[in-house]
Amino acid sequence: VIDNSMWAHAAAATDSVNFVYALNFSKPLACFRARVKMMKRVSADPIFIIDGEALSVKQQTADSRRLARDKAYAEGLELFRQLTPQSSKDHKDRLKACAQKAIKITREFILALIDTVFRPEGVKYFIAPYEADVQMAMLVQTGLADTVVCADADMLLHLRAVSVPYTWIRKVNWKSGTCTLYDVSRAVDGVSDESANSAFRAAVRVDKNVLVVTALASGCDYTEFRGIGIGKGKDIALELFRANQVGDM
């Protein structure tokens, strides 16, 4: 099961200027289709989950992102209007930087995905009641999906909330088509002190809630923490674990 928003943003970023300012979806759609075909070549059966209604608990985060996106769009729009074949590299680079920050996955792009990728390729897709994360966790919990493909650390919280045991993270290299398997506790090491890493991995094996606390302390869409990072978040979780303060979640 795959977070559609993650793939859609990655696809849009391959041609962000045309995607944002010319509303030309050709290259992003081709990129998305290529990824789908690659998964099918290895006998994977992808299910895409599309975000539904926004959550009020994340309104502040959503508003902050919207303001940043709108600002980038306005700055880039002026650069786009001034764009000519003779424009300097600096001009084009600044335009691209603004476009990357201004990417918004619109209803029009979702409909284009459904019509030109999902239906022709016979790919399953669902629109979640709210955010895709929770729907993906529930699909895994109920056995309708085997694993989650997602780049959002919040996914760890949702999987733990429905008691899905997550031990491994798979990192896909889309250019080579290869996949690397990581021990999930090693994936959040964050510091070079191997003794601390070993203690953290041992704690995760005993209580997966240590990962949840790490994600919460590091900063996710459901907390207001900023600038802590994985390394310090891990230290906080380990300290709470040692003090027997990490209860069931």
Side-chain angles (χ1 to χ4, degrees), residues 8-240:
H9 272 90
T14 62
D15 192 23
S16 56
V17 172
N18 283 319
F19 182 92
V20 172
Y21 297 110
L23 301 182
N24 184 334
F25 304 151
S26 299
K27 188 173 180 180
L29 288 172
C31 172
F32 204 107
R33 188 181 301 108
R35 288 189 171 190
V36 168
K37 287 181 177 294
M38 190 185 76
M39 292 199 75
K40 295 180 79 172
R41 281 198 300 271
V42 296
S43 300
D45 185 17
I47 303 172
F48 287 90
I49 308 300
I50 301 169
D51 285 325
E53 294 290 331
L55 292 172
S56 58
V57 70
K58 293 176 61 173
Q59 189 61 49
Q60 185 173 351
T61 298
D63 289 344
S64 176
R65 290 174 178 172
R66 178 180 53 78
L67 289 173
R69 188 169 57 242
D70 289 349
K71 179 181 178 182
Y73 179 87
E75 292 176 2
L77 182 60
E78 187 63 29
L79 292 168
F80 182 72
R81 288 170 173 167
Q82 297 170 359
L83 186 66
T84 68
Q86 291 76 39
S87 293
S88 66
K89 181 179 181 300
D90 177 67
H91 184 104
K92 294 177 181 177
D93 287 346
R94 287 188 290 128
L95 172 57
K96 183 177 180 180
C98 288
Q100 293 279 347
K101 296 176 182 178
I103 290 174
K104 178 182 179 182
I105 304 306
T106 61
R107 181 175 182 272
E108 289 73 20
F109 184 61
I110 295 297
L111 291 176
L113 274 177
I114 293 172
D115 289 339
T116 65
V117 180
F118 294 162
R119 287 175 177 167
E121 295 294 335
V123 171
K124 303 180 185 73
Y125 66 92
F126 297 97
I127 299 176
Y130 295 97
E131 286 203 331
D133 297 7
V134 178
Q135 190 71 27
M136 291 191 295
M138 293 302 294
L139 286 173
V140 173
Q141 182 199 37
T142 56
L144 295 175
D146 296 316
T147 190
V148 168
V149 178
C150 184
D152 193 342
D154 288 356
M155 194 66 238
L156 293 174
L157 307 183
H158 298 303
L159 288 172
R160 180 52 184 162
V162 295
S163 301
V164 173
Y166 41 84
T167 307
W168 301 99
I169 287 178
R170 297 162 178 83
K171 182 178 181 181
V172 177
N173 184 319
W174 294 109
K175 291 184 179 180
S176 66
T178 59
C179 179
T180 305
L181 201 62
Y182 292 95
D183 182 326
V184 72
S185 59
R186 290 179 180 272
V188 290
D189 278 348
V191 296
S192 58
D193 184 349
E194 184 54 37
S195 62
N197 291 338
S198 298
F200 181 73
R201 288 194 291 271
V204 169
R205 284 193 292 271
V206 172
D207 188 350
K208 295 295 193 300
N209 285 322
V210 173
L211 281 178
V212 176
V213 174
T214 300
L216 288 170
S218 299
C220 69
D221 291 344
Y222 298 95
T223 67
E224 297 302 318
F225 301 129
R226 294 292 183 270
I228 292 179
I230 287 289
K232 291 181 180 177
K234 185 187 72 170
D235 292 340
I236 292 170
L238 185 57
E239 185 175 335
L240 289 173

